[in-house]
Amino acid sequence: ACSMDAPADASGEAGGDGARLKRVRRPVERIDAQYQAPERTPLAIPQGRGTPLGDIPNVAFKLTKVSRNDDLAKSVHRLLFRKPAKAMEIKKNVAAFRGYSYEGASDEQAEKAKDRERLDRYTVAGLHELMDLFDISRASGDGKEAKADRIFQFLCKPEAREGAKDLQAAEEAAKAKVARKRERNAKKKGKAKGAAAAAPP
């Protein structure tokens, strides 16, 4: 049979009949309000030899079209910096990237190989997304490996594509054209309504 033992008092002895048990108060552990979480090590932007991506007009323009929560933005950050980042920091970091830097690496060729191999994990469609973002023209005869090589060469030393069309200026011109057409149509409708109102019954 199961037995019910009398509870022990503060001295560790069982309480007898009619005995009041003394409650032992334990000290309350207080959390130190001065405690601070360890600071995160800030991301080191490689001091490459190219132009910061944010200073290449077409790349900067295309970055504005990519959400910081988009999988492409997260993927690009890992590709450039070999690590993820908080969503609010991704686009700022990408815009500051100016090329891989292997200065001081114990094995430069091994580090280059690692960065190049990351591109092999992309599908052809994924490589096309990178080429579009970095404003790298697609060559119709390029296979997957050739596309990856071209992207890697760009990331070693980013530069604006020679003869590239200014995409932001083109978009603004297209919007202005649509606005002018809308305005002309509105004026035509206004004149037609005015003529109909002025016509004798």
Side-chain angles (χ1 to χ4, degrees):
C2 294
S3 62
M4 297 289 289
D5 294 330
D9 62 13
S11 63
E13 297 177 354
D17 293 340
R20 296 191 61 182
L21 299 178
K22 183 178 178 182
R23 183 177 178 184
V24 179
R25 291 184 176 274
R26 295 186 179 182
V28 177
E29 295 182 4
R30 300 185 180 277
I31 298 176
D32 185 359
Q34 300 300 316
Y35 171 78
Q36 293 183 347
E39 295 184 2
R40 290 196 315 121
T41 304
L43 179 71
I45 305 294
Q47 296 302 304
R49 298 177 295 114
T51 305
L53 294 179
D55 291 346
I56 299 177
N58 284 354
V59 178
F61 172 72
K62 290 181 179 184
L63 275 174
T64 65
K65 305 294 184 182
V66 179
S67 166
R68 64 188 183 185
N69 295 312
D70 193 290
D71 287 341
L72 175 61
K74 297 174 184 177
S75 171
V76 167
H77 193 281
R78 289 193 193 92
L79 177 65
L80 304 185
F81 301 105
R82 308 166 188 139
K83 62 174 67 175
K86 291 182 178 180
M88 62 187 299
E89 298 174 349
I90 288 178
K91 294 175 72 171
K92 178 189 71 174
N93 293 344
V94 170
F97 181 82
R98 57 189 304 166
Y100 292 128
S101 175
Y102 303 103
E103 187 176 348
S106 57
D107 190 336
E108 181 177 331
Q109 292 306 315
E111 291 300 312
K112 283 185 177 180
K114 286 180 184 178
D115 288 330
R116 172 59 183 80
E117 286 168 6
R118 285 186 179 88
L119 289 165
D120 289 333
R121 302 171 192 169
Y122 285 81
T123 62
V124 172
L127 293 176
H128 284 168
E129 282 189 306
L130 294 177
M131 295 177 84
D132 291 343
L133 178 63
F134 298 139
D135 198 37
I136 302 171
S137 60
R138 298 188 196 178
S140 58
D142 278 356
K144 181 181 177 181
E145 186 172 350
K147 294 177 193 294
D149 284 339
R150 292 178 63 206
I151 294 170
F152 180 68
Q153 291 303 318
F154 172 83
L155 294 179
C156 284
K157 189 179 180 182
E159 290 179 334
R161 180 163 55 89
E162 187 175 350
K165 180 181 180 181
D166 188 328
L167 298 179
Q168 183 171 357
E171 183 183 81
E172 290 173 354
K175 287 181 178 179
K177 183 177 180 180
V178 170
R180 288 195 299 270
K181 184 176 181 181
R182 188 182 296 117
E183 186 179 354
R184 286 197 301 269
N185 290 339
K187 285 181 179 179
K188 287 180 182 179
K189 288 181 180 179
K191 287 180 180 180
K193 287 182 179 179

